[in-house]
């Protein structure tokens, strides 16, 4: 049976109704779940999906010993007519996320001890401990605060300053979870030793009530306390002989034996404000948590000693942390990137330029004003973006110099532009609805929608975009698509087959977004341009199609193709959302850290245990569909050599 599904198209900006198979959501959920990645984690205690578990239990001969209850644990009943005949004496669970408690572990354990298990039961895992380390890091702090932006103009240096509200704002309460092992030690200064902040004994009654835990320490160095790095470990047994740790390499007991994971990473927390610390002068780091969130503060004395009530969860009141993601903060704070736009604007702006800026929450309009445009308009279609930009303009005394238009671009009227014709249309482009690199082609649709408002000879910046692709071998990311087969003696081919069927439904022909600076890979083929988009002209009526081959020039296993966009601001200025420089001799890649690249995993999973050199050529067929804004693609490895 077919059903109609509504979706907001991130490329065209329109709301569409699509005819989908009734099981589309089911297939998509399984295909994107990365369950196999969890099973590849050899340290992990795991519970397969309920709808596959019954078949797996049966196939492995345990139907008479294992009963699958397809319910949330808080709905399980105990008693003669219940799901369980009596309370259990062993509690085996996996309820953790990168933050440990973000998936509701505390209230779930609390309920289990009250209703499902016996007093003095044993729990596997037995105990969890959360660790923290205080650091100074301009790079990570740039994901949280807006830095002053310096612009060199013909009239001297201009400085774009953040609003006071943004400076005071503690930020969003959500954790920033990343592959901390991919952050260079040169990007932060350690200010404290690794501090065990709090532990949870899962064999005893657990409380989900708000609490705080403090640890006194003496700073190892003087600096500015900005960021708390955090992770956890779990002890499977009461004696702590079997341990699973998320510690990054510098805090790991066996860095060479580090287990890669994508389901559990490490946490980055931002202090409400940066604070100066002095080497050897005692301070208290405080971990606060409620039932789902953890946050940190730095205090001169322990909260237990000064009688303070635990702090409330931080809430953003400046709008910026609600509108801009952490990578977007980093992108706006990237001085080199800003300079590229300044240089490009300098070549196309004239003293009589009438400039229209189209990007969500962008500072391009401020740059255009400082560089001498006669009049600047900026479209901010969301209320949050409009409110934030008004604050930024006011903080920089530009509220009467830059005109904000709060409406969708296709609704723009001549009155909105005060009867003027636009001589310069600019965009980064960046839109908050974009997930894949080409979703920002929405700029092209905007350019088409406002065509009637462009004056004769109007300049569009960027003037064009190109889609690029490259075949890669991942160090670890391939694991999220690799079949598990056998896990700790259990045959889980049933789950592998279920995931593959879900992938075959659609996902195997689609790319998915990943921030590749966190997932190292080697290029096996040269980067190749495969499609181009001319923003100087409206969106064409006919599809754009390209076919060709990517020739592999390095040995390795071809896990998939990486795709990204490059925006050609002018003939001499290009901004890449992917590869920032040619791959090194061994194929190591340097990716744009502010953007997600698109990864198209090849259909045939490559098991690293198989001695396979892999395909030498990858054929591709890529098509841009103007009507929907979609880019369809298929990559086919050929000429396999064993």
């Amino acid at each position: 049976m077919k059903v109609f599904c509504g979706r907001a198209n991130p490329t065209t900006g329109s709301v569409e109704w699509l005819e989908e198979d009734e099981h589309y959501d089911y297939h998509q959920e399984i295909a994107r779940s990365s369950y196999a990645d969890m099973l590849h984690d050899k340290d992990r205690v795991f519970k397969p999906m309920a709808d596959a578990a019954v078949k797996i239990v049966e196939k492995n001969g345990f139907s008479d010993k294992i009963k699958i209850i397809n319910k949330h644990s808080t709905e399980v009943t105990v008693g003669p007519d219940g799901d369980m005949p009596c309370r259990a004496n062993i509690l085996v669970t996996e309820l953790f996320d990168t933050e440990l408690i973000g998936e509701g572990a505390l209230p779930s354990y609390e309920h289990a001890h009250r209703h499902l298990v016996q007093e003095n039961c044993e729990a596997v895992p037995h105990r969890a401990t959360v660790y923290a380390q205080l650091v100074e890091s301009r790079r990570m702090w740039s994901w949280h605060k807006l830095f002053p932006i310096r612009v060199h103009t013909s009239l001297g240096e201009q400085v774009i300053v953040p609003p006071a509200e943004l400076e005071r704002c503690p930020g969003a309460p959500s954790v920033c979870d990343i592959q901390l092992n991919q952050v260079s030690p040169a990007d932060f200064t350690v200010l404290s030793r690794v501090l065990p902040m709090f532990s949870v004994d899962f064999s005893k009654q657990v409380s989900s009530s708000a609490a705080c835990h403090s640890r006194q320490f003496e700073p190892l160095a003087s600096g500015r306390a900005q960021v708390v790095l955090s992770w956890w470990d779990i002890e499977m047994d009461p004696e702590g002989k079997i341990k699973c740790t998320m510690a990054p390499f510098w805090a790991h007991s066996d860095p060479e034996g580090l287990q890669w994971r994508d389901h559990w990473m490490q946490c980055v927390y931002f202090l409400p404000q940066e604070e100066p610390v002095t080497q050897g002068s005692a301070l208290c780091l405080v971990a606060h948590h409620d039932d789902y969130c953890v946050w940190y503060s730095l205090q001169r004395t322990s909260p237990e000693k000064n009688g303070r009530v635990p702090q409330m969860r931080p809430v953003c009141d400046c709008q910026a942390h609600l509108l801009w993601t952490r990578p977007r903060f980093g992108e706006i704070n990237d001085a080199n990137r800003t300079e590229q736009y300044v240089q490009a604007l300098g070549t196309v702006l004239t003293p009589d330029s009438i400039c229209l800026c189209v990007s969500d929450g962008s500072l391009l309009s401020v740059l255009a004003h400082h560089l001498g445009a006669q009049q600047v308009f900026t479209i901010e279609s969301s209320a949050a973006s409009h409110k934030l930009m008004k604050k930024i303009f006011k903080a920089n005394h530009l509220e009467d110099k830059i005109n904000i238009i709060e409406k969708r671009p296709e609704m723009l009227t001549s009155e909105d532009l005060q009867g003027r014709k636009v001589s310069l249309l600019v965009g980064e482009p960046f839109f908050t609805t974009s997930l894949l690199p080409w979703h920002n082609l929405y700029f092209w649709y905007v350019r088409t929608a406002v065509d009637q408002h462009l004056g004769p000879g109007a300049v569009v910046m960027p003037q064009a975009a190109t889609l690029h692709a490259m075949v890669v071998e991942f160090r670890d990311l391939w694991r999220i698509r690799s079949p598990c087969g056998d896990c700790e003696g259990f045959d889980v081919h049933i789950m592998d087959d279920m995931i593959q069927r879900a992938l075959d439904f659609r996902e195997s022909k689609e790319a998915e977004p990943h921030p590749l600076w966190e997932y190292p890979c080697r290029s096996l083929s040269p980067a190749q341009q495969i499609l181009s988009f001319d923003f100087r002209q409206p969106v064409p009526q006919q599809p754009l199609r390209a076919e060709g081959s990517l020739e592999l020039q390095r040995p390795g296993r071809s896990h998939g193709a990486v795709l990204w966009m490059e925006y050609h601001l002018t003939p001499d200025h290009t901004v890449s959302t992917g590869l920032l420089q040619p791959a090194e001799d061994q194929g190591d890649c340097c990716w744009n850290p502010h953007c997600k690249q698109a990864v198209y995993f090849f259909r045939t999973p490559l098991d690293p245990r198989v001695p396979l050199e892999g395909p030498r050529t990858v054929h591709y067929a890529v098509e841009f569909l103007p009507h929907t804004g979609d880019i369809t693609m298929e990559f086919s490895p050929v000429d396999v050599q064993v």
Side-chain angles (χ1 to χ4, degrees), residues 314-334:
V315 176
C316 171
D317 56 11
C318 75
Q319 302 294 319
H321 301 92
L322 305 179
L323 181 69
W324 294 336
T325 62
R326 272 72 179 245
R328 178 58 172 166
F329 264 98
E331 188 171 57
I332 292 174
N333 284 321
D334 187 332

Side-chain angles (χ1 to χ4, degrees), residues 237-390:
D237 59 310
E239 294 76 28
K241 294 179 180 179
I242 306 172
K243 184 177 288 189
C244 178
T245 181
M246 306 305 119
F249 68 87
W250 67 86
H252 202 284
S253 59
D254 180 21
E256 296 301 318
L258 205 66
Q259 168 76 51
W260 182 86
R261 300 178 175 91
D262 197 43
H263 44 277
W264 293 332
M265 296 184 279
Q266 294 80 36
C267 302
V268 174
Y269 296 97
F270 305 97
L271 293 178
Q273 301 296 329
E274 62 177 2
E275 298 187 36
V277 299
T278 304
Q279 182 177 0
S281 181
L283 294 168
C284 281
L285 184 64
V286 185
H288 310 261
H289 74 78
D290 52 23
D291 48 352
Y292 285 92
C293 283
V294 178
W295 62 97
Y296 285 85
S297 66
L298 191 63
Q299 300 183 15
R300 301 295 166 183
T301 58
S302 169
E304 291 90 345
K305 292 181 179 179
N306 60 29
R308 290 187 185 178
V309 177
Q311 291 185 0
M312 296 294 291
R313 182 192 300 186
V315 176
C316 171
D317 56 11
C318 75
Q319 302 294 319
H321 301 92
L322 305 179
L323 181 69
W324 294 336
T325 62
R326 272 72 179 245
R328 178 58 172 166
F329 264 98
E331 188 171 57
I332 292 174
N333 284 321
D334 187 332
N336 292 329
R337 181 178 182 273
T338 298
E339 184 59 25
Q340 286 181 283
Y341 284 93
V342 169
Q343 293 294 328
L345 281 168
T347 65
V348 296
L349 272 173
T350 63
D352 58 353
S353 288
I354 306 300
C355 181
L356 175 62
C357 300
V358 184
S359 280
D360 289 345
S362 173
L363 299 182
L364 276 184
S365 58
V366 182
L367 298 182
H369 170 77
H370 285 319
L371 291 169
Q374 181 186 116
Q375 194 166 9
V376 180
F377 299 89
T378 183
I379 294 178
E380 300 292 347
S381 55
S382 77
S385 180
H386 181 266
K387 188 174 182 180
L388 173 62
M389 297 313 295
K390 283 186 68 174

